Amino acid sequence: MSVSVLGVRHHGPGSARAVRRELERLRPDAILIEGPPEADALVTHAPGLEPPVALLAHVPGAPARAAFWPFAEFSPEWQAIRYGTSAGVPVRFCDLPAAHSLAGEPSDAEPGDQEPGGHEPGSQEPGQAGPDGRRPGGAGLDAPQPGMRGDPIGALAAAAGYDDPERWWEDVVEHRGGDTPFQVIAEAMAAVREGCRPDEREARREAYMRKTLRAAIKQGFGRIAVICGAWHVPALTGPLPSVTADNAVLRGLPKVKAELTWVPWTYGRLASWSGYGAGITSPGWYHHLFETPDRPVERWLAAAAAVLRDEGLAVSSAHVIESVRLAGSLAALRGRPLAGLGEVTEAARAVLCEGDDLAVELIQRRMVVGDRLGHVSDGTPMVPLQRDLRERQRRLKLKPEALDREIDLDLRKPLDLDRSHLLHGLRLLGVGWGTPGQARGKGTFRETWTLQWRPEHDLALIEHAALGTTVPTAAAQRARDLAGAPSAMLADLTSLVEQCLLADLPQALPGVLAALSAKAALDTDVTHLMAALPAMVRAHRYGDVRGTSADGLAVIVRSMLERICVGLPVAVTGLDDDAAADLLKHVDAVHSAVALLTDVPAGDAPPGAAHSDVVEEAGPGASPRGRWMVALRGISDRQDLHGLIEGRLTRILLDSGELGDAGDRMSRAMSRGQAPARAAAWVEGFLSGGGLLLVHDPRLLGLVDDWLTGLSGDQFTDVLPLLRRTFGGFAAPERRSIGERLRSAGRDDADRDQDLDEHRAAPAVATVLSIIGRTNG
């Protein structure tokens, strides 16, 4: 009976090649790998997986209790799994079970968990330990936590004259071409562990590893290979603690029900991982080293040149040759056996990129990290919701990808409409695979999405698996649950209605609309109603554009608008500057929304119509626009309004054709009897709709000009911030036109006549007369 313990770096190409060669030499009849033993049954699925992949352990019903164990093609553990499955050798995991490691409180859970409102799964604060008690910078060797004595890898590196532990490990192990000296590593780890006392968690893990090893020996396996982090090797070799001592360490551990499966992983997530992938900041580079043992530097720089050429940069073969020479020279100067990523990157920066940081960043993103996304086979254990999504992705031709991909959808096409329904339904489930963007072109029938698949999305699907077996049924149940939550606010419910229509969930709409109607009837804050109305109007409009039924929605919209019109006069009373600015945003949003509810053209009430005329038009059967205009007109005549509100209402009514005395109102607002600050606020509100009005209406421009020139120096200084904010919001052509109007306003008619060249103007006059059907006679 023989036991070979191979200490490795968890994601190291040199270690991976060495493990594969050592296993082929040893020909073991059992392989033990550091990892959760509940995953033993999942090993048989490994041949059908395409790394990077990860083991996902989670507690059903408790999404905060979850952990990932990622594997890449260049992971020694993955190579051991592939060897075992191909050679018919039993492969078992020997670390502490996930049922124990996930049993703690979420705040004290094993690294790799996702805490509510905290970091993403597996992410750690700088300096915290990773999933196996490792720290970033521990070279993935399961180095001890800060509470233990020092950094063993750092100590070995310092003894060898290195100031960078990562570079020392690469030179000693990863760049040796696959002949990793496992015995030497074991002796070195034993030396640095002397005097180090593992903490309670580390002791439990190593006790369980020894327990698994003893069980394998008891079952009659004669040649056992153990693949684990190099730090654990001394704990599994030499004089071992007694069975009684290990059982005492493991006695009384808390336990939960944990479920495990394989999920796709990405190199981007592997690069940001500070736990099981500690120290792996360049998975693309390591993948290249593993796949290309022959002349890796030359092939890497040639591939980098191809990436730059694809972006239109001029990179010749001479650039590649010179960059290879420079990388080799840097490695020789630094005493390295092979140019590492640092030397290769410096050579690429100096030669291929000619010092351009953007080009270097391109290489970093495309090659050093990489865009590889793993794949799991259909036979892998999945919840029905995951399988349904996979089938829909195939049918709708939406392939999950690790890098951002932008797609444009035309909702008039059935395929694109189904894609939109799927992406909106997933967002309702908390699966942010797609992020909506600003659609190109005009029309509500277009959508733009940015797609990026992240491993956490599988966890979200598992979390919501109890809601339904398909995306639509799960999303509909999620909508009903959200609508029934006591904490649901009015704005939340209106947004939920919109999401149901976007995701085509008619089965959820009745319950959500009922909850919305009940909440709207009880909410006495008019600003809540104003904040909720635009989403309701959009939902009503989407129901028309997408062909989705939204029965009852129009009734709720009109009821909400009626309550807004009744409550607005009270809401505009006694506002300070901040409250007025906030309310103004709601007024503008409601005004824009009301415009979508009616086809009544602007100008149905003639300019200058009396207030009573408008009221008569806005009778019981009035359109939403008519009712809204009546409310605004009634408020605009009040004398106690904040200047910002009064000015904006005047502008809205003027633009809508409901006001014929805007000039008189401006004259009163800017008279000398008004405080300069209020007059400036009035101007800001009035001009917030744009500055073209001043370009085309000389009287209004003259009123503003006379008011400004009549201010004293101190008064002008007081109102200058408001004026700067107002005029700074105008487009550059508008500001230029206003300035030209003001510059020409001081000229008299004689000056303008002198400026006119009748000879040069004659052809233009003749053309205009011809267009309007008159002759120059």
Side-chain angles (χ1 to χ4, degrees), residues 32-123:
L32 304 183
I33 297 174
E34 184 178 332
E38 295 97 333
D40 288 350
L42 300 176
V43 171
T44 56
H45 298 282
L49 306 181
E50 180 182 337
V53 293
L55 283 171
L56 164 62
H58 67 98
V59 178
R65 304 177 187 271
F68 295 94
W69 285 262
F71 299 89
E73 188 71 35
F74 50 84
S75 300
E77 296 89 344
W78 182 255
Q79 289 302 312
I81 291 173
R82 294 300 299 270
Y83 171 83
T85 54
S86 62
V89 178
V91 177
R92 300 176 182 175
F93 291 96
C94 62
D95 205 344
L96 192 68
H100 296 310
S101 61
L102 298 179
E105 293 297 325
S107 59
D108 300 323
E110 300 298 320
D113 297 354
Q114 180 179 13
E115 300 181 16
H119 308 294
E120 295 175 347
S123 62

Side-chain angles (χ1 to χ4, degrees), residues 50 131 148 235 267 273 361 389 400-401 411 450 484 500 531 579 603 662 675 729-730 749 763 774:
E50 180 182 337
M148 301 177 70
Y267 276 177
W273 198 261
E361 174 62 27
L389 175 58
E401 295 176 346
L411 302 183
T450 301
C500 289
F730 296 165
D749 294 339
R774 296 179 59 185

Side-chain angles (χ1 to χ4, degrees), residues 603-610 633 653-654 656-661:
D604 52 29
R633 181 62 184 267
L653 293 169
L654 176 63
S656 301
E658 302 287 351
L659 203 62
D661 60 344

